[in-house]
């Protein structure tokens, strides 16, 4: 039999930090398979996992299709950067720092979050990836942080801009955004926890291809 390698399996864990209402919104939207557990320090960890796929943009890749298992991790009630321990960062591959676009003070917390992360892991290619993401959960409030300001801050801190979202986002829209993050993780830190899936080309498929040559 002939076998052809068709898919590459990836697994990434992303930690949510910062703006509590945005973190809760993400978890609640994706919570069809959410679960909570206690870690070694008896603190609650809330996680959601889902699978998705994307195609590599590298033309010379041997396995263009990537199937990714994403774990989104949240620590409810621990919104302060001082309450997050080193273990959370070492157990994840990336972090998303969330801020409220209607509250400049939450955006200003970015510097402290970056400092905290740098004290725990090394940020950069082939290491740990950090995203900044704006959220508008409170409809009645007006914008206090311009998107361009956030983009420029990402460039200054050498982290990834994750865009913005609001409370009108659907489950599928959030999943699509996280798959885009997975594509960036694949480029930045490469492959983790790979399993190769091979499919068998049956005789009918082989004959069909031969006749079309």
């Amino acid at each position: 039999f002939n076998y052809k390698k068709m898919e590459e399996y990836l697994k990434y864990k992303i930690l949510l930090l910062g703006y509590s209402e945005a973190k809760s919104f993400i978890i609640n939207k994706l919570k069809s398979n959410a679960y909570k557990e206690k870690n070694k320090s008896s603190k609650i960890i809330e996680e959601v996992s889902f699978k998705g796929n994307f195609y590599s943009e590298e033309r010379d890749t041997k396995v263009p299709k990537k199937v990714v298992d994403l774990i989104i991790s949240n620590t409810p009630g621990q919104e302060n950067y001082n309450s997050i321990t080193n273990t959370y960062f070492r157990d994840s591959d990336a972090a998303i720092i969330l801020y409220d676009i209607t509250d400049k003070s939450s955006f200003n917390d970015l510097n402290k979050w970056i400092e905290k992360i740098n004290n725990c892991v090394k940020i950069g290619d082939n290491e740990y990836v950090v995203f900044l993401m704006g959220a508008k959960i409170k409809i009645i409030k007006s914008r206090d942080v311009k998107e361009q300001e956030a983009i420029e801050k990402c460039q200054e801190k050498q982290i990834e801009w994750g865009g913005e979202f609001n409370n009108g986002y659907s489950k599928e829209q959030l999943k699509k955004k996280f798959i885009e993050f997975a594509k960036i993780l694949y480029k930045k830190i490469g492959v983790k926890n790979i399993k190769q899936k091979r499919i068998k080309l049956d005789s009918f498929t082989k004959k069909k291809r031969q006749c079309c040559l």
Side-chain angles (χ1 to χ4, degrees):
F1 297 99
N2 290 331
Y3 291 86
K4 185 177 181 181
K5 189 163 59 177
M6 297 295 291
E7 297 175 348
E8 189 170 53
Y9 281 69
L10 316 171
K11 186 175 183 179
Y12 297 119
K13 185 173 183 177
I14 302 175
L15 181 63
L16 301 180
L17 303 172
Y19 182 28
S20 61
E21 290 186 50
K23 295 196 301 176
S24 296
F25 177 84
I26 290 171
I27 293 295
N28 289 334
K29 277 291 181 181
L30 301 174
K31 72 177 182 178
S32 59
N33 59 342
Y35 58 92
K36 294 182 180 181
E37 62 179 24
K38 286 189 177 181
N39 64 3
K40 294 179 180 178
S41 60
S42 297
K43 293 180 179 178
I44 296 294
I45 299 175
E46 190 174 35
E47 294 186 336
V48 176
S49 65
F50 67 91
K51 287 181 171 61
N53 62 76
F54 63 89
Y55 285 85
S56 174
E57 296 175 357
E58 301 172 14
R59 295 182 180 180
D60 59 343
T61 183
K62 295 180 180 179
V63 190
K65 186 177 181 180
K66 314 297 178 184
V67 178
V68 60
D69 184 5
L70 280 173
I71 301 172
I72 316 302
S73 183
N74 182 31
T75 52
Q78 298 176 65
E79 278 63 57
N80 189 285
Y81 46 88
N82 290 322
S83 64
I84 306 294
T85 63
N86 296 5
T87 305
Y88 293 119
F89 297 106
R90 291 171 183 167
D91 287 347
S92 58
D93 304 295
I96 299 176
I97 301 173
L98 293 151
Y99 69 93
D100 182 356
I101 69 171
T102 69
D103 181 6
K104 190 64 174 286
S105 64
S106 72
F107 177 74
N108 291 337
D109 284 340
L110 171 64
N111 294 329
K112 294 176 181 178
W113 279 116
I114 294 294
E115 182 180 356
K116 173 67 177 181
I117 297 170
N118 269 321
N119 288 336
C120 301
V121 290
K122 184 179 179 181
I123 300 175
D125 292 359
N126 302 315
E127 297 289 346
Y128 197 85
V129 180
V130 176
F131 298 88
L132 178 65
M133 195 174 183
K136 184 178 182 181
I137 307 300
K138 301 173 183 176
I139 302 177
I140 59 173
K141 289 193 173 183
S142 58
R143 178 184 288 273
D144 196 26
V145 182
K146 293 182 179 179
E147 185 175 7
Q148 185 58 37
E149 182 180 0
I151 293 172
E152 291 173 0
K153 179 64 73 171
C154 287
Q155 293 170 346
E156 175 191 333
K157 297 295 182 181
Q158 296 185 320
I159 61 176
E160 299 295 321
W161 171 236
E164 297 180 344
F165 72 97
N166 57 50
N167 61 356
Y169 257 53
S170 67
K171 180 178 181 178
E172 292 308 313
Q173 284 177 306
L174 280 177
K175 280 187 173 183
K176 184 177 180 180
K177 187 169 280 288
F178 276 98
I179 293 299
E180 289 299 316
F181 293 163
K183 290 174 68 174
I184 294 172
L185 288 175
Y186 178 73
K187 291 180 181 178
K188 293 282 185 178
I189 64 178
V191 176
K192 295 192 67 179
N193 302 319
I194 293 178
K195 292 188 295 182
Q196 300 292 352
K197 181 178 180 181
R198 297 175 182 272
I199 64 170
K200 182 170 65 177
L201 299 177
D202 58 31
S203 58
F204 173 79
T205 304
K206 289 197 298 181
K207 290 178 181 178
K208 186 176 181 181
R209 289 185 177 181
Q210 289 173 354
C211 75
C212 297
L213 293 177

